[in-house]
Amino acid sequence: MKRFATKLVLWTSLVTMLSGCLYPESQKNENQIPYTDQIQSVQTAVEQYQDNKSVLPIKTRDQETPIYQKYPIDFKKLVPAFLQQAPGNSFENGGVFQYVLINVEENPTVRLIDLLLIEKVKDLQLRVNDYRRKKDYPPFNEVLAKDRYSINYEAMGIEEEITVKSPFTNDQLPFFLDQNGNVHIDYSSDLTKAIESNPDHNYQNGDDIRDLLANNSFYVPVASVPYTLENDKAVFLVK
């Protein structure tokens, strides 16, 4: 009986250990939800840090970094003096979000990058690069605008178009390629909805309207290119 009890304890421990392996930190539900209180606590910490240090608690990025990835929050500068710990849903604490700042010059505001989107972009980019190595050119399909192309999935041997779930609308968004074969997410449908939902906006044709998403959501449109509006619809901003 004692031997059976010992085996039972060992089996229970093994199951518990394997459960932890099967469900890593980044896959746990609580680490994939943008809790308002966590975002607000980071916002407060950022403001207190700036008041105290006269600078922002951000990591250094070069000038070529895309605008919405340019100002990642450095939690090492906030913890523990201004924040007890990095949020559970942050990348630093096993989550799927990178905390960043937007509007850094006038009104530094905390937003999130969904790293699962970055992962899907990188995965598709690898497949595009593999095709390019074999064919010497990217898998361009239709011309969407100047230097913007849909992807020829059939030529790549992919049966169905690959999409990604929008953090703004939950719609499925397509990918596209620029003239250099770089993969981007097409947020035009999200932005058109944002234009409709914010009729009092001050944007004009020729303005980059992506902040319509960033300013009205927890998220930023990562892996995006500039868009503008034309006849109350979002279109690629090309020059």
Side-chain angles (χ1 to χ4, degrees), residues 109-154:
T109 306
V110 175
R111 288 293 183 265
L112 304 177
I113 289 177
D114 186 340
L115 295 175
L116 297 179
L117 300 186
I118 297 288
E119 186 177 324
K120 291 205 71 170
V121 170
K122 288 182 177 179
D123 180 65
L124 182 54
Q125 186 70 64
L126 287 173
R127 301 172 81 167
V128 167
N129 292 347
D130 184 58
Y131 177 92
R132 189 171 188 172
R133 279 192 295 270
K134 296 174 181 177
K135 303 292 185 178
D136 294 327
Y137 52 85
F140 293 140
N141 194 21
E142 297 179 357
V143 177
L144 303 175
K146 180 184 176 183
D147 297 333
R148 307 286 182 253
Y149 306 89
S150 62
I151 300 173
N152 191 338
Y153 289 103
E154 183 178 356

Side-chain angles (χ1 to χ4, degrees), residues 33-206:
I33 300 173
Y35 293 110
T36 305
D37 58 338
Q38 291 183 331
I39 296 172
Q40 185 55 54
S41 66
V42 175
Q43 180 71 48
T44 300
V46 167
E47 292 171 0
Q48 291 175 344
Y49 183 94
Q50 186 179 30
D51 289 342
N52 189 273
K53 307 285 187 179
S54 299
V55 293
L56 291 170
I58 54 178
K59 300 176 183 178
T60 303
R61 293 289 184 266
D62 61 47
Q63 288 299 111
E64 301 303 315
T65 303
I67 186 63
Y68 292 113
Q69 296 170 260
K70 198 170 184 177
Y71 304 105
I73 293 173
D74 188 347
F75 284 106
K76 291 181 180 178
K77 295 178 179 178
L78 294 178
V79 177
F82 301 92
L83 194 66
Q84 185 175 359
Q85 64 178 2
N89 61 9
S90 67
F91 172 76
E92 290 82 354
N93 215 359
V96 299
F97 299 119
Q98 182 175 37
Y99 280 66
V100 296
L101 292 179
I102 62 172
N103 303 326
V104 293
E105 297 295 335
E106 298 179 1
N107 181 31
T109 306
V110 175
R111 288 293 183 265
L112 304 177
I113 289 177
D114 186 340
L115 295 175
L116 297 179
L117 300 186
I118 297 288
E119 186 177 324
K120 291 205 71 170
V121 170
K122 288 182 177 179
D123 180 65
L124 182 54
Q125 186 70 64
L126 287 173
R127 301 172 81 167
V128 167
N129 292 347
D130 184 58
Y131 177 92
R132 189 171 188 172
R133 279 192 295 270
K134 296 174 181 177
K135 303 292 185 178
D136 294 327
Y137 52 85
F140 293 140
N141 194 21
E142 297 179 357
V143 177
L144 303 175
K146 180 184 176 183
D147 297 333
R148 307 286 182 253
Y149 306 89
S150 62
I151 300 173
N152 191 338
Y153 289 103
E154 183 178 356
M156 295 173 64
I158 300 173
E159 293 185 1
E160 296 183 358
E161 179 183 16
I162 298 174
T163 59
V164 66
K165 185 178 180 180
S166 167
F168 304 101
T169 62
N170 290 326
D171 293 343
Q172 291 297 317
L173 303 179
F175 294 95
F176 69 92
L177 300 175
D178 64 22
Q179 72 276 21
N180 297 315
N182 297 314
V183 175
H184 304 274
I185 299 172
D186 187 356
Y187 291 95
S188 56
S189 63
D190 279 1
L191 282 162
T192 295
K193 289 182 178 180
I195 292 168
E196 295 170 352
S197 300
N198 297 274
D200 296 329
H201 68 78
N202 296 317
Y203 291 103
Q204 299 179 353
N205 181 265

Side-chain angles (χ1 to χ4, degrees), residues 210-229:
R210 286 178 291 174
D211 276 352
L212 268 175
L213 296 177
N215 288 335
N216 294 284
S217 168
F218 289 139
Y219 300 97
V220 294
V222 70
S224 65
V225 298
Y227 292 81
T228 191
L229 74 166

